[in-house]
Amino acid sequence: MICKNYVVSGEDVNDFMVMETRAYLSYTLRLLYRFLFANGFSKERLHALQLGLQERKDILVSYQDLMFTEPFFVEMKQCCIGDKITVESYFFNSRNECCAEVTKEVEWFDPVRSKVIAAPKHILRHFNAINRA
């Protein structure tokens, strides 16, 4: 669906130079924003529409550690966009071995009223068309 190459940086690791859970979750969210951007919904456009994303549940399954300075790539294999957005991302090392899987649930959020909202219909129309293609 969409993928991006990265290198494990110093801010991603713990004292043992192993990538931390929060870094996996952060890269997953970055890829979701990249996917939204590629489909016409930049952070600026979402802000203008008074829409934000609020993280809910995260599930991380780690198979092997990613280490400091190690190149890796993240692939978003599935993204269901509705009232809740569910994303499945897979992390691969430079040898193309799957190191981790993240399943993340995100909700649409109205920052003006400070509450979770249902998915806006004008946005769902765009993604329903993508899913049918």
Side-chain angles (χ1 to χ4, degrees), residues 39-51 122-123 126:
N39 288 292
F41 293 96
S42 66
K43 286 184 182 181
E44 292 80 14
R45 183 165 181 208
L46 291 174
H47 182 71
L49 294 169
Q50 297 181 338
L51 284 174
H122 63 282
I123 288 181
H126 292 283

Side-chain angles (χ1 to χ4, degrees), residues 81-83 108 119-129 132:
I81 295 185
D83 285 347
W108 297 102
K121 290 182 183 2
H122 63 282
I123 288 181
L124 284 180
R125 259 185 266 133
H126 292 283
F127 289 101
N128 288 340
R132 277 185 254 135

Side-chain angles (χ1 to χ4, degrees), residues 39-107:
N39 288 292
F41 293 96
S42 66
K43 286 184 182 181
E44 292 80 14
R45 183 165 181 208
L46 291 174
H47 182 71
L49 294 169
Q50 297 181 338
L51 284 174
L53 298 177
Q54 180 172 316
E55 299 178 53
R56 296 279 299 163
K57 295 188 281 185
D58 303 308
I59 300 170
L60 169 66
V61 179
S62 183
Y63 302 114
Q64 70 184 71
D65 295 331
L66 287 169
M67 305 300 288
F68 179 59
T69 71
E70 185 175 3
F72 69 97
F73 71 95
V74 185
E75 182 176 18
M76 181 190 301
K77 294 229 180 186
Q78 186 169 351
C79 183
C80 281
I81 295 185
D83 285 347
K84 293 180 182 166
I85 301 171
T86 306
V87 178
E88 290 180 15
S89 296
Y90 297 85
F91 291 73
F92 296 90
N93 61 20
S94 58
R95 295 177 304 281
N96 209 25
E97 299 167 330
C98 186
C99 296
E101 298 177 23
V102 173
T103 303
K104 184 173 208 46
E105 189 176 280
V106 181
E107 293 180 316

